[in-house]
Amino acid sequence: MTMTTISALAATLLATLIITDVIHIWMLYPLALVEGFGDAVNQPARQVMIYDVVGAEDLPNAVAVNSLGSNTMRIVGPALAGGLIGVAGIQSALILQATAYAASVFATSRIRTRGTPAKKFGGSVLRSMGDGLNYARSNRDVMLLVVMAGVPSVLVYPYVQFIPVFASDVLHVGSVGFGFLASAVGYGSIIGALLAAT
């Protein structure tokens, strides 16, 4: 919940800077850094929380439902933002994002896990990462999963930064078209999540 709160504050600050028209390019760098750090910590923590909430018996369906929800938002969010930008300006989309983060903070605070909480780890983060990599090297299946997760992060996901350029300079589709382009990635993920759930 802490990292979700930090992301919410960053989104609120960005919306405020744009609404008050004091935004400068250099301000985006620290805000993007905070957002990226929040996602890097938040996403794995949420994946672990699924098990703590539902337990082992319902874990496969819970993972599929979580994926379905996340990817639905990857469709709805950009499409809605694109429409808002076209109708009311970029500040309206950022206000909606900040509001959604605030709702997420509230919803996360209401989650109650079942079972025994994990013991606190006393070592350093770097040592923990090193231990994890050593284990992955010694286990071929785990290393394959690490590579499968890492390669798309480096070679595939950066395409998101090019979507605005394609929307404006190549396809000339404007903000609404940008919203649909950005949301298109979620359709295949939803189909995969539905197949996994069934």
Side-chain angles (χ1 to χ4, degrees):
M1 189 173 78
T2 301
M3 297 315 302
T4 305
T5 303
I6 291 173
S7 295
L9 291 174
T12 302
L13 178 58
L14 178 59
T16 303
L17 290 172
I18 289 180
I19 291 170
T20 57
D21 200 25
V22 295
I23 189 74
H24 295 284
I25 290 293
W26 67 266
M27 297 176 182
L28 297 176
Y29 293 112
L31 289 171
L33 182 67
V34 169
E35 183 71 24
F37 178 75
D39 283 345
V41 174
N42 206 8
Q43 295 304 325
R46 285 183 179 274
Q47 296 298 322
V48 173
M49 183 183 274
I50 295 172
Y51 176 84
D52 293 337
V53 171
V54 303
E57 182 180 344
D58 296 320
L59 185 60
N61 282 336
V63 169
V65 168
N66 179 65
S67 177
L68 181 63
S70 298
N71 288 299
T72 299
M73 289 301 102
R74 289 172 72 179
I75 293 173
V76 174
L80 184 59
L84 280 173
I85 291 171
V87 172
I90 194 170
Q91 64 272 12
S92 62
L94 292 169
I95 291 170
L96 179 63
Q97 180 190 28
T99 304
Y101 267 124
S104 180
V105 170
F106 174 75
T108 304
S109 70
R110 306 292 297 171
I111 294 175
R112 296 293 177 262
T113 59
R114 64 187 194 181
T116 305
K119 294 180 180 178
K120 291 185 177 179
F121 176 71
S124 70
V125 174
L126 292 177
R127 180 180 174 187
S128 177
M129 290 174 63
D131 290 343
L133 289 174
N134 287 333
Y135 176 76
R137 276 197 294 265
S138 66
N139 188 311
R140 182 180 174 185
D141 292 335
V142 174
M143 179 54 78
L144 181 61
L145 291 173
V146 170
V147 171
M148 287 174 60
V151 169
S153 297
V154 176
L155 300 178
V156 178
Y157 295 141
Y159 81 91
V160 173
Q161 281 71 38
F162 294 107
I163 291 179
V165 178
F166 271 90
S168 63
D169 297 345
V170 178
L171 301 174
H172 308 289
V173 292
S175 59
V176 175
F178 162 70
F180 284 114
L181 281 174
S183 64
V185 67
Y187 290 109
S189 301
I190 284 184
I191 293 170
L194 289 171
L195 289 174
T198 54

